[in-house]
Amino acid sequence: MNSTLNQEETMPGNKAGGDMFVMKCGGSTLAALPDSFFEDLKGLQEKGVQPVIVHGGGPAISGNLEKLGIETEFVNGLRKTTEDVLDVVEMVLAGTINKQIVRRIQSVGGSALGLSGSDGGLIEARPVANSAEVGWVGDVTHVKSSILNGVMEMGYMPVVAPIGVDASGQRYNINADTAAGAVASHLGVARMIVVTDVPGIMKSAGGEKRVLPTVTVQEIEDMIGTGEIYGGMIPKVRAAIACIHGKVREVVIVDGSEPNVLSRVVAGEVLGTRIVRM
């Protein structure tokens, strides 16, 4: 870690630890969740537990691109991002989706503040290795955790859109799972929660699929190899693996429709799948 990160993480008021967690959720998943989910978020905030939300919005981006007649394609799971596509990505993620989430939290009495990774240079990025194929897609190089801590010190829940920026001001489209993992790592939280529309990582046993309560990094690699983990779950588990270092001990994948799912996970109840490094 560089000296800037170390300085930020030792600043007075840094809340890294057991009273904070990073939550990642897709925009379409969040839109489908009931008010009770957001009331649970508000309740945690009132108890002094600080959620930091990083969201996606893939289906909404695709829908808007289609309406505008802009072609889009995926290369190894990453959206090929031209300047035209990037304009729509930023509009949807930092605009529509981000503000919808903020409004839903505030509609149940919570306090939230929406941010893009461009704001204050919150998420610093560089081109991915295969940028020649995928365009303006970025990898996270640094997260200014002092900005997020400042927002929380003011009593607001940060809601972060995964847009990155480099020193020249170039924008990057960043996979939301990757961004959430980077935010968790740089904040030094103990737990990251991935809210999805599935109950966890499933494994076939005796002719039926069951949720694995705990899975190790090696078991995940084996399941990807055999095809038991596939499609959109692969970037989720890869991002989880990437952020399990330093103070981040575990990533929990849960179904957002479970009643009071966040407060139950924070309280230590076994729900969904815990990904741990052995």
Side-chain angles (χ1 to χ4, degrees), residues 61-109:
I61 292 168
S62 296
N64 276 271
L65 287 168
E66 187 176 347
K67 286 178 187 175
L68 294 167
I70 300 172
E71 291 187 8
T72 184
E73 60 181 293
F74 288 85
V75 179
N76 296 324
L78 296 174
R79 186 187 300 275
K80 188 172 181 178
T81 307
T82 62
E83 280 289 349
D84 286 346
V85 170
L86 190 53
D87 284 341
V88 176
V89 168
E90 185 171 48
M91 175 183 73
V92 172
L93 290 180
T96 308
I97 301 289
N98 189 271
K99 303 318 168 194
Q100 282 177 349
I101 296 168
V102 168
R103 286 194 299 271
R104 288 206 69 184
I105 293 168
Q106 293 180 164
S107 72
V108 298

Side-chain angles (χ1 to χ4, degrees), residues 24 74 76-78 175-178 194-198 201 224 227-240 253:
K24 186 271 167 178
F74 288 85
N76 296 324
L78 296 174
N175 177 281
D177 298 291
T178 302
V194 177
V195 177
T196 68
D197 54 2
V198 297
I201 296 175
I224 291 173
E228 287 187 276
I229 295 177
Y230 60 91
M233 188 58 78
I234 293 176
K236 288 181 174 58
V237 296
R238 292 274 192 217
I253 297 177

Side-chain angles (χ1 to χ4, degrees), residues 137-192:
V137 177
D139 278 331
V140 180
T141 59
H142 185 61
V143 176
K144 291 184 179 176
S145 54
S146 57
I147 295 175
L148 299 174
N149 281 306
V151 169
M152 289 183 281
E153 287 291 342
M154 291 189 296
Y156 293 94
M157 193 184 306
V159 180
V160 181
I163 302 292
V165 67
D166 65 18
S168 72
Q170 173 61 51
R171 302 166 298 167
Y172 294 91
N173 178 14
I174 298 177
N175 177 281
D177 298 291
T178 302
V183 168
S185 295
H186 284 76
L187 279 172
V189 299
R191 177 187 292 120
M192 184 171 109

